[in-house]
Structures are given as C-alpha cells and as structure tokens.
Amino acid sequence: MSEEKLPQAVDGPVVPEPSGVDLARVALRAAKEQAKARGAAVAQKKQARRGGGLRSGARADGRDPMALGAAINRLITERGWETPAAVGGVMGRWPQIVGEDLAKHCVPLKFDDDPDARVLTVQCDSTAWATQLRLLAPRLVARLNEDLGHGTVRVIKVLGPGAPRRGYGPLRAPGSVGPGDTYG
C-alpha cells in the first residue's frame, strides 16, 4: 500500500500558475500591450517630424487648454509650492490679518519655510510697535495657522527699526553699543 503525500499547508491563497490556454492568453495580452506602446511611440515620432507636435483629439486630455487659475493651481501642486504660495498670500493680506493700525507700523519681510524653523520675520518702525507685536505674537501665530494650516508658522521674529551703524570715535566708551541700546 502506498501512502499518498498530503500537500503542506501554505499561508495565503494558492494561485495556480497559468498553463495551456491561460498561458497563451497572458502572453497574447502582454504582446498586445507592448505593440500598442511601440505604436504610440512611433506615432509621436512621426508627429514630431512633421512639425505638428502633439495634438489634442476629440476627447479631453492633459494637452487641452485650461483656465489660467487652474493652470497655476496645477503648477503649484506639482511643484510643492502650497506653503510658500499661501504665505505669500498672507503677506498680501497683512492689513486684513493684523489690522490697519498695526499694518501701518509693522511689515512682514520674509518667511523661512524650512520644516524645522517656519519663522515669519516682521519689521516694525519703532520699538514701541515692536514690543506691541511681540505681545500679540502668540495670537497672531494662531490666526495665521488658522488661515494657512496647522504648524505653517511656528514663530514670529520681530525686528525693531534699523538704525545707522555708529562708527567708533574719540568720545565713545569702550564696550558700549551706544544709541543701539534703544533700537530693538
């Protein structure tokens, strides 16, 4: 008496390999796809030689004209410029975000979009307005993140007014910063 060997249990579904007619169908499908790809490449080369380039057909595809706004949005998305574009929009809407009074005295200079930093740099025209903006900074960060998305702006760096650099002179005390003490 011969003992039949039972197949070992295999994890997952067992997929039989195609054979006979099924194998022929798989090979035919692969050959058709390769021929179709070669034919499309040859047709594109012929179009390019004729000077016509790629032409749009009766159905909509990626080569059709589109509205300028849609094209710009597509470009922004493809390049990953969502955050810089949103921050640029905020800089344009600065008076509406912070209020007219504060916007007259404080101007956004730049945004560092490094994922570790995400710092918005703002310059004020006096130390009093710089102090006021430093006090409002946490609320302003929250407001900006509402508009731009959570975590877009982490810190607001406030700069005071730019003062002219004082050179060293005969009446200057060594080690002092002079009138720079009152700026920023």
Side-chain angles (χ1 to χ4, degrees):
M1 301 202 138
S2 69
E3 221 176 280
E4 288 185 36
K5 289 190 175 183
L6 296 174
Q8 296 283 337
V10 179
D11 292 337
V14 176
V15 179
E17 291 191 29
S19 62
V21 176
D22 292 331
L23 185 61
R25 284 185 184 138
V26 170
L28 179 63
R29 186 178 318 128
K32 283 183 177 180
E33 288 176 4
Q34 288 174 353
K36 190 176 184 180
R38 271 195 311 272
V42 169
Q44 285 180 351
K45 285 182 182 177
K46 282 183 182 177
Q47 281 291 84
R49 269 185 271 159
R50 282 190 244 151
L54 298 175
R55 299 175 198 262
S56 180
R59 290 178 210 89
D61 63 6
R63 298 170 291 167
D64 287 340
M66 59 175 44
L68 181 62
I72 289 173
N73 288 338
R74 181 174 160 187
L75 177 68
I76 287 172
T77 303
E78 286 175 355
R79 302 286 171 110
W81 295 340
E82 290 93 357
T83 300
V87 172
V90 164
M91 289 187 178
R93 295 181 294 127
W94 185 251
Q96 289 85 18
I97 293 172
V98 298
E100 292 293 328
D101 291 336
L102 195 60
K104 288 178 188 174
H105 302 282
C106 302
V107 179
L109 294 180
K110 66 179 181 175
F111 175 71
D112 183 12
D113 62 347
D114 179 35
D116 296 332
R118 296 189 177 176
V119 176
L120 177 66
T121 304
V122 180
Q123 184 167 21
C124 299
D125 60 3
S126 71
T127 55
W129 283 106
T131 303
Q132 182 69 23
L133 189 63
R134 284 185 191 105
L135 293 172
L136 292 174
R139 281 192 276 167
L140 190 55
V141 167
R143 171 78 192 269
L144 289 170
N145 285 331
E146 280 179 19
D147 287 352
L148 303 174
H150 182 68
T152 304
V153 177
R154 291 185 181 164
V155 177
I156 294 181
K157 181 179 178 183
V158 180
L159 302 177
R165 177 82 174 129
R166 296 256 332 213
Y168 292 102
L171 300 177
R172 187 174 176 95
S176 76
V177 289
D181 289 336
T182 61
Y183 288 95

